Amino acid sequence: MRILLAPMEGLLDYRLRDTLTRVGGYDECVSEFIRVNDTLLPSHRYYRCVPELYNNSHTKSGVPVKVQLLGSDVNCMAENASKVASLGAYGIDINFGCPAPTVNRNRGGAALLKEPNLMFSIVKAVRNAVPIHIPVTAKMRLGYDSTEHALICAKALEEGGAKEIVVHARTKVDGYKPPAYWDWIQKIVQSVNIPVVANGEIWTVTDAKRCKDISGCEDIMIGRGAVANPALALMIRNENNENLPWNEVKGILFSYWQKLETEMNHISRAGRIKQWLNYLSRQYKEAEIDFPIVKQYKSVDEFSNYFELPINSLWKM
């Protein structure tokens, strides 16, 4: 089984990738999408979003990171894919799943699920522009407003040359509302001859097992579940239902706070901590108690005092 770490715009970026992959259990990560419009992006744009490119496209703990591109201009996507490859990308992933209205209005992400022929052309052009040793993969949803074209879209990605497809088991209109339709992933698995990775509503070890059983996928991708439980990948891999102690999780949160210190202003830094603590409240009673208090903090001193409580020294790094 492979466990992939998903991106989350505005939270699960390279900083949190570093933190979560240090906890362990992941085989691969995918970066936040980089929007490609009608120009060849400069190298610094890619390095800023995926600084792992400086480290042979791996996190500091050695987990490979694919660079994700999003766009609808076939030639421009190919040119940028070639550029990313020249920077040493481990792999290139193409986003056909983002449900954000601003992205969809500009003919990006899940909006392209209404145009399987264009999906095919984009993947084919990217595959042709990238050296054969660099994998090209894609992420899709079950459709835009229905599952009517799910199998057609998956087949288009396969025929375009995608080595693997990650399927988020909801349509664009479904957004992130439960449930995830894992049974539909199984239909896609049966319709293509390339690996399919299941994604959506995997919050626990039990969810992961049920998802694999229902979808027929060996591999999974987790995002929100990983943020809510930093050890989820390890727990799934070891079939262990025991969460990390809260003191250790708080130590991980503190490590992240320190990581943000040199890169973000205080307001943004505080916002990230509040976001993560809110997700942690899904799995930890302590976080549920702390969140309404911490979300009112405004000063660095308040956060410093919060983190001065006993913390496992393992995460002071």
Side-chain angles (χ1 to χ4, degrees):
M1 176 182 61
R2 293 160 58 236
I3 302 176
L4 283 62
L5 179 62
M8 289 172 60
E9 189 70 22
L11 179 60
L12 214 171
D13 60 2
Y14 67 88
R15 304 171 185 93
L16 196 46
R17 279 199 296 275
D18 177 46
T19 302
L20 291 177
T21 55
R22 283 175 187 263
V23 178
Y26 295 100
D27 296 284
E28 189 176 291
C29 305
V30 178
S31 78
E32 294 177 287
F33 70 76
I34 298 173
R35 179 70 200 230
V36 173
N37 290 313
D38 56 358
T39 186
L40 179 61
L41 297 173
S43 298
H44 68 78
R45 176 72 177 84
Y46 291 106
Y47 284 123
R48 185 170 71 243
C49 186
V50 194
E52 294 97 339
L53 288 168
Y54 288 117
N55 188 39
N56 197 31
S57 204
H58 285 67
T59 66
K60 292 176 182 177
S61 55
V63 180
V65 181
K66 287 180 183 170
V67 179
Q68 188 178 81
L69 302 180
L70 179 151
S72 57
D73 184 307
V74 175
N75 292 330
C76 202
M77 285 286 283
E79 289 175 359
N80 277 274
S82 178
K83 177 65 172 284
V84 174
S86 74
L87 299 178
Y90 160 78
I92 295 172
D93 189 66
I94 307 173
N95 185 317
F96 296 111
C98 179
T102 53
V103 169
N104 297 162
R105 279 196 298 271
N106 290 286
R107 207 184 181 196
L112 296 182
L113 293 167
K114 296 184 284 187
E115 303 183 68
N117 289 338
L118 180 55
M119 293 171 66
F120 164 83
S121 297
I122 291 170
V123 174
K124 184 174 177 61
V126 168
R127 177 66 276 171
N128 289 341
V130 172
I132 195 64
H133 70 276
I134 297 178
V136 173
T137 60
K139 185 174 184 182
M140 62 173 278
R141 284 177 171 251
L142 297 179
Y144 189 83
D145 53 10
S146 76
T147 57
E148 180 181 1
H149 301 302
L151 302 185
I152 296 172
C153 288
K155 202 67 182 173
L157 298 177
E158 178 186 25
E159 292 175 353
K163 180 181 179 181
E164 177 178 271
I165 305 171
V166 175
V167 180
H168 183 107
R170 285 178 275 232
T171 66
K172 182 273 179 194
V173 172
D174 292 330
Y176 295 96
K177 299 190 299 285
Y181 302 97
W182 298 326
D183 55 320
W184 253 100
I185 299 181
Q186 185 179 57
K187 296 178 184 180
I188 292 175
V189 169
Q190 294 171 346
S191 72
V192 299
N193 295 306
I194 56 176
V196 177
V197 180
N199 174 232
E201 290 300 304
I202 301 174
W203 299 93
T204 66
V205 175
T206 300
D207 289 340
K209 185 177 187 308
R210 287 187 60 245
C211 176
K212 289 177 62 180
D213 290 344
I214 294 171
S215 69
C217 293
E218 181 63 27
D219 305 326
I220 60 173
M221 172 180 275
I222 55 178
R224 293 181 301 155
V227 178
N229 184 348
L232 181 58
L234 279 177
M235 292 167 63
I236 292 170
R237 190 170 300 286
N238 298 325
E239 298 184 356
N240 172 24
N241 287 297
E242 186 174 345
N243 287 346
L244 288 177
W246 171 245
N247 187 52
E248 190 167 345
V249 173
K250 190 173 178 182
I252 297 170
L253 190 65
F254 178 56
S255 167
Y256 181 60
W257 168 254
Q258 292 177 308
K259 217 178 294 290
L260 299 178
E261 184 173 9
T262 59
E263 299 189 24
M264 284 187 173
N265 61 48
H266 173 64
I267 294 175
S268 299
R269 186 182 175 202
R272 290 294 181 95
I273 292 297
K274 293 172 185 178
Q275 271 184 293
W276 196 3
L277 195 59
N278 188 32
Y279 270 101
L280 289 169
S281 68
R282 293 185 61 118
Q283 295 289 331
Y284 287 90
K285 186 69 176 177
E286 296 91 339
E288 185 180 354
I289 294 169
D290 288 357
F291 175 67
I293 301 169
V294 173
K295 76 175 183 179
Q296 299 178 58
Y297 289 172
K298 296 180 181 178
S299 72
V300 173
D301 286 343
E302 287 175 307
F303 280 95
S304 297
N305 290 336
Y306 175 66
F307 285 121
E308 276 179 5
L309 296 176
I311 291 171
N312 190 313
S313 61
L314 172 65
W315 297 105
K316 291 184 178 180
M317 57 186 181

